[in-house]
Amino acid sequence: MESTKCLIIGSGPAGYTAAIYASRAALAPILLEGLQPGGQLTTTTVIENFPGYPQGVDANQLMADMRAQAVALGADVRPGFVSAVDLSKRPFAVTVDGEETIMAETLIIATGATAKYLGLPSEEKFRGFGVSACATCDGFFYRGKDVAVVGGGDTACEEATYLANLCRKVYMIVRRNVLRASKAMQERVARTENIEILWECQTREVLGDASGVTGVRLVRKSGEVFEKPIDGFFLAIGHQPQSELFKPWVATDEQGYILTEGKSSRTSVEGVFAAGDVQDPHYRQAVAAAGSGCRAALDAERFLLQ
Ligand code: NDP
């Protein structure tokens, strides 16, 4: 059976950064890439807010570079999906692809989160071509245009006000006649002149052509169907942390985000650390995830030295 001082699960910015730091600390880490090598960023196109790239950087290239850097420093980066874990005692047993088991002295969970989508075929068709689940990532491309944000929570309000600074008009598509968001966020939306809330509306279809999204077909609670011409369709109906496998062992909040102690990456299980979006319901940015991956590797190194 294979053993390692440090096993990293997940291949987004958090996982690769943890691998870079753990390699330099001579922990000879193994990183399991999971089902979506490169993580959530690989679903977007150009990244303009990752420091160090004045012209922006292709998201897939950025992730390929992070991977290459981890490998160059000695990380053992492999394909592999974790199908089971036993965190009851150290070393931790991690089953990969239902077959092989790796025994890990420390574990860094960097499995990320996935944005929720409505599940419409048209939404899937235009994903990356006008359909996005991250206004901070993609809003810039819609300067001076009309866009829609689906959802009525804090994220939707935050994304709508962010987009309102860039776009001509922002529609919020809200399925009920109230917002779920906090009072402060609701007031911020109400104060923003170019946001219009379409109450009690559901999306029937995202409309588009070869150039990308051109509009959205909506249905009101009353049954009335109507269309709005838009260039961007943003989902803000929540995220799902990928923590299912670890929930029986590590403490999570009610939404499933892994709880970490203070500013550290320590979880409720000694020797298990969490980094990136799986423990971060608030920032969800590549650079923030990379920073927390760094912290997790440093925490793992210090733990092993104890
Ligand atoms: P929430 O779960 O709070 O809100 C999701 C929103 O999407 C709700 O309005 C919900 O409608 C709507 N929605 C869900 N599914 C669908 C669907 N299938 N079709 C249409 N609408 C749908 O998620 P958030 O991401 O907004 O927030 C997550 C957590 O993070 C919250 O605790 C929030 O307070 C926090 N947060 C805090 C921020 C801050 O403080 N600045 C910023 C961002 C998030 P309905 O209400 O009808 O269920």
Side-chain angles (χ1 to χ4, degrees):
M1 197 180 296
E2 194 174 9
S3 298
T4 180
K5 282 186 186 160
C6 180
L7 181 65
I8 300 162
I9 308 176
S11 57
Y16 285 142
T17 306
I20 289 166
Y21 274 77
S23 300
R24 295 192 79 241
L27 301 185
I30 296 173
L31 182 149
L32 298 170
E33 290 181 298
L35 291 180
Q36 190 180 17
Q40 278 188 88
L41 278 191
T42 57
T43 64
T44 180
T45 49
V46 177
I47 303 189
E48 294 186 330
N49 54 8
F50 200 90
Y53 298 93
Q55 313 303 328
V57 57
D58 177 87
N60 283 286
Q61 189 59 51
L62 178 65
M63 297 322 296
D65 288 347
M66 283 193 200
R67 185 186 193 281
Q69 191 172 353
V71 170
L73 289 166
D76 180 348
V77 177
R78 328 175 167 169
F81 178 73
V82 174
S83 47
V85 292
D86 180 352
L87 308 185
S88 61
K89 57 182 186 302
R90 286 183 59 234
F92 308 114
V94 175
T95 309
V96 187
D97 296 324
E99 298 165 358
E100 179 203 1
T101 298
I102 302 177
M103 303 304 290
E105 287 179 46
T106 61
L107 185 66
I108 296 177
I109 302 169
T111 44
T114 44
K116 291 183 192 160
Y117 284 81
L118 296 170
L120 301 169
S122 56
E123 171 195 57
E124 180 63 33
K125 183 175 169 192
F126 293 109
R127 206 188 276 198
F129 301 94
V131 171
S132 165
C134 180
T136 331
C137 318
D138 299 328
F140 189 70
F141 304 111
Y142 299 92
R143 272 177 306 169
K145 298 186 173 173
D146 295 353
V147 298
V149 177
V150 187
D154 278 324
T155 303
C157 291
E158 204 166 73
E159 305 234 318
T161 43
Y162 176 82
L163 289 166
N165 267 327
L166 302 165
C167 303
R168 191 174 64 170
K169 175 101 187 178
V170 180
Y171 297 104
M172 283 183 75
I173 303 170
V174 178
R175 66 179 171 183
R176 291 188 294 150
N177 61 356
V178 287
L179 293 174
R180 180 185 289 274
S182 57
K183 200 90 194 131
M185 293 302 286
Q186 294 193 29
E187 283 166 5
R188 205 196 292 180
V189 165
R191 281 197 306 271
T192 310
E193 279 182 5
N194 58 340
I195 298 179
E196 179 183 337
I197 302 184
L198 303 171
W199 298 105
E200 298 187 319
C201 284
Q202 301 254 28
T203 307
R204 188 165 272 188
E205 193 180 350
V206 181
L207 308 170
D209 57 24
S211 69
V213 169
T214 57
V216 62
R217 183 171 298 135
L218 302 165
V219 56
R220 279 192 218 279
K221 200 178 170 190
S222 62
E224 181 202 349
V225 177
F226 65 106
E227 291 176 10
K228 288 279 180 196
I230 50 161
D231 297 293
F233 182 79
F234 289 86
L235 279 307
I237 58 170
H239 279 74
Q240 192 62 45
Q242 312 225 65
S243 61
E244 236 14 76
L245 214 51
F246 311 101
K247 270 190 193 165
W249 313 98
V250 302
T252 60
D253 69 10
E254 64 279 3
Q255 295 167 61
Y257 288 96
I258 295 178
L259 295 172
T260 51
E261 204 184 300
K263 288 184 178 168
S264 81
S265 63
R266 289 191 295 272
T267 69
S268 58
V269 177
E270 273 202 3
V272 177
F273 306 90
D277 287 8
V278 75
Q279 52 83 60
D280 179 5
H282 297 295
Y283 297 107
R284 297 199 291 255
Q285 297 299 300
V287 69
S292 81
C294 156
R295 286 208 296 270
L298 294 177
D299 287 343
E301 182 192 3
R302 282 174 199 150
F303 175 82
L304 288 167
L305 284 176
Q306 275 168 19

